[in-house]
Amino acid sequence: MTTAARAFPALGTTAEVLVTSPGDLGAAVDLLSAELAAIDSACSRFRADSEISRLHETAGRQVRVGELLAEALGAALRAARLTGGLVDPTVGAAIRALGYDRDFALVAGGGGGGGGVGWGGGGGAAARTPPPGGPRRGGPPAARGEGGGGGRY
């Protein structure tokens, strides 16, 4: 069997595409690149223009969110439920206080940040109950999303 592969940086890590039909590699890379760009645009807490960053600016109020962000939040909340809270998608503020307040490449390179702070998650303050008219997310201002095992955002 003939294969072809290409790796490229994405979402602070490396994405790799492997196909069994080498002529399809370009299309497969384009497809994955587009999907990862959509995820980054919706879910990156490192981009001021991402949907989740804009959502954080409205903390405490119900707002309509896009389908992709709603799916990511749902997956994160499901991971919290299935792990009995070991995965907590509301620990964003604690993570930032510990110094993970920028892309990992900057943190790993000594890009500053962090102080001695105790662990304190959001306690599952986010709730997902899509009302009529589309998904919404509301919660206390301190409940900032961080996907952990449910998705990095």
Side-chain angles (χ1 to χ4, degrees):
M1 176 187 310
T2 304
T3 62
R6 186 174 312 155
F8 57 94
L11 304 178
T13 188
T14 302
E16 187 168 0
V17 177
L18 174 67
V19 295
T20 57
S21 181
D24 293 334
L25 181 61
V29 168
D30 290 346
L31 181 67
L32 179 59
S33 294
E35 182 67 17
L36 293 175
I39 291 168
D40 193 49
S41 178
C43 303
S44 177
R45 66 185 180 92
F46 302 114
R47 292 178 47 172
D49 66 338
S50 73
E51 186 176 4
I52 198 158
S53 292
R54 292 190 312 271
L55 177 64
H56 289 157
E57 292 171 6
T58 65
R61 297 188 308 265
Q62 277 198 350
V63 295
R64 188 174 311 276
V65 299
E67 192 174 315
L68 186 56
L69 181 57
E71 182 180 346
L73 292 171
L77 292 170
R78 182 172 188 267
R81 190 174 56 256
L82 292 175
T83 63
L86 294 175
V87 173
D88 185 348
T90 66
V91 298
I95 288 172
R96 271 183 293 289
L98 291 168
Y100 188 26
D101 57 354
R102 62 197 63 82
D103 188 89
F104 186 70
L106 296 173
V107 173
V117 204
W119 185 258
R128 184 172 190 260
T129 307
R136 298 173 190 258
R137 185 234 186 227
R144 295 185 63 96
E146 169 56 47
R152 180 179 154 226
Y153 47 86

